[in-house]
Amino acid sequence: RRPDRMLVSAIMLFFFTAFLLVSFNGELEWEGFALAVIVPVLIRLSTMWVPRFFPADKLLLAIANFLCALGVLILYTTDRGAGTSRGIQQAIYYGAGIIAMLACIFVVRYVRRWGFLIKVVMLGAAALLALPLAIGTVQPSELVKLALLLILSWYMSRRRFLPWFAFAVFSLLVLMLQQDLGTALIYYATTLFLFYASTGNLPLTGLGLVGAGGAAVLGYAMFAHVKRRVAIWRNPWIYYETSGYQIVQMLMAIASGGLQAGVSSGAQIH
């Protein structure tokens, strides 16, 4: 236990010091001081207190919390001095994520009748996924990704083909209607990989890969923004002043300083 406490204490001290140093600019900014206190407290709560009540890997929790806190620090560093920074917002999301983690641990540990819960999750996920068709500003597809994993895993483990296949097809059709082809690709790949993992059926998995290629060609033919992205990828210099700017900057950085410089430049531009 002592090495665990030492590791968590070191992480807490690192972020406490980092937020104070970043926020000090002649005088201490209140946001930096608040984050210097809040973030280490969140790290302490989620890495040392959670394992007291639920079985959890402290090392894994420490790594996950380090990455979350690092995201808060980076956002605060890059968005200071203009009202409430995105660092504060990210810290709120960080706390909400810890609450969601505790809820998921509780559900996994104590729920015994998963069949009924999976049906509820499926209906709720379908409703959330279709919501942007009525309210365009809502983007619930990230949350539905978790539901997709639960639904596919549950029904595939019980060799029930129709429910998971119907949900996957419904999700892809809705995403196509929303023209969210990137998310549709993620959903399709997740379904295909889980299908192969559960069945080991190589011919059908290969057929699924062929279908993915056909869907890519169909998407290129149907959607103008896909054609535009392919055109930018083929020759970004034509679109240097607009949508090809980031790609051109990346190419120039790689040509000037190598691959590492290009990656750093791309991160800064993004």
Side-chain angles (χ1 to χ4, degrees):
R1 294 182 179 179
R2 187 174 181 81
D4 294 334
R5 291 181 179 178
M6 293 178 61
L7 175 61
V8 174
S9 298
I11 293 174
M12 293 172 61
L13 179 61
F14 169 79
F15 283 107
F16 176 78
T17 307
F19 279 112
L20 288 183
L21 290 176
V22 171
S23 65
F24 188 77
N25 185 18
E27 60 180 12
L28 190 64
E29 296 179 358
W30 72 268
E31 289 186 359
F33 180 76
L35 290 173
V37 175
I38 293 172
V39 171
V41 168
L42 291 176
I43 293 172
R44 179 75 179 184
L45 290 175
S46 56
T47 55
M48 300 303 294
W49 285 21
V50 169
R52 294 183 181 181
F53 304 98
F54 303 101
D57 189 324
K58 290 184 179 180
L59 178 60
L60 184 61
L61 286 173
I63 295 172
N65 277 274
F66 178 84
L67 294 175
C68 292
L70 186 62
V72 177
L73 177 62
I74 292 173
L75 285 175
Y76 173 67
T77 303
T78 57
D79 190 38
R80 294 168 50 207
T84 302
S85 70
R86 287 193 294 171
I88 293 290
Q89 297 175 359
Q90 189 68 16
I92 295 173
Y93 298 151
Y94 180 18
I98 293 174
I99 295 174
M101 178 188 71
L102 292 175
C104 290
I105 292 175
F106 182 84
V107 169
V108 170
R109 185 169 176 80
Y110 293 107
V111 172
R112 294 293 178 262
R113 299 184 61 184
W114 279 93
F116 175 75
L117 183 60
I118 290 296
K119 292 182 177 65
V120 173
V121 169
M122 182 184 294
L123 292 175
L128 282 176
L129 200 61
L131 194 60
L133 296 176
I135 307 174
T137 58
V138 179
Q139 294 293 333
S141 59
E142 296 298 324
L143 182 61
V144 179
K145 287 177 183 177
L146 301 177
L148 178 70
L149 291 174
L150 287 174
I151 294 165
L152 294 179
S153 301
W154 171 262
Y155 284 112
M156 286 183 180
S157 66
R158 282 153 180 78
R159 300 295 189 267
R160 295 180 60 183
F161 174 79
L162 186 58
W164 71 258
F165 182 77
F167 181 77
V169 170
F170 170 81
S171 300
L172 292 174
L173 288 176
V174 171
L175 291 171
M176 290 288 286
L177 289 175
Q178 298 172 10
Q179 300 187 16
D180 191 356
L181 302 187
T183 303
L185 177 61
I186 294 174
Y187 276 47
Y188 187 89
T190 301
T191 303
L192 192 62
F193 291 156
L194 285 179
F195 172 78
Y196 178 73
S198 64
T199 64
N201 192 319
L202 192 58
L204 284 181
T205 304
L207 185 62
L209 291 174
V210 173
V217 174
L218 182 63
Y220 178 82
M222 291 178 57
F223 300 108
H225 70 279
V226 176
K227 294 180 180 179
R228 186 167 57 253
R229 289 178 181 177
V230 173
I232 294 170
W233 171 73
R234 293 182 62 184
N235 191 355
W237 302 92
I238 299 177
Y239 309 92
Y240 172 70
E241 297 293 337
T242 55
S243 49
Y245 178 79
Q246 290 192 8
I247 300 177
V248 170
Q249 291 296 315
M250 174 73 76
L251 292 174
M252 291 191 295
I254 293 175
S256 302
L259 183 60
Q260 185 62 41
V263 172
S264 302
S265 175
Q268 292 173 0
I269 293 170
H270 181 71

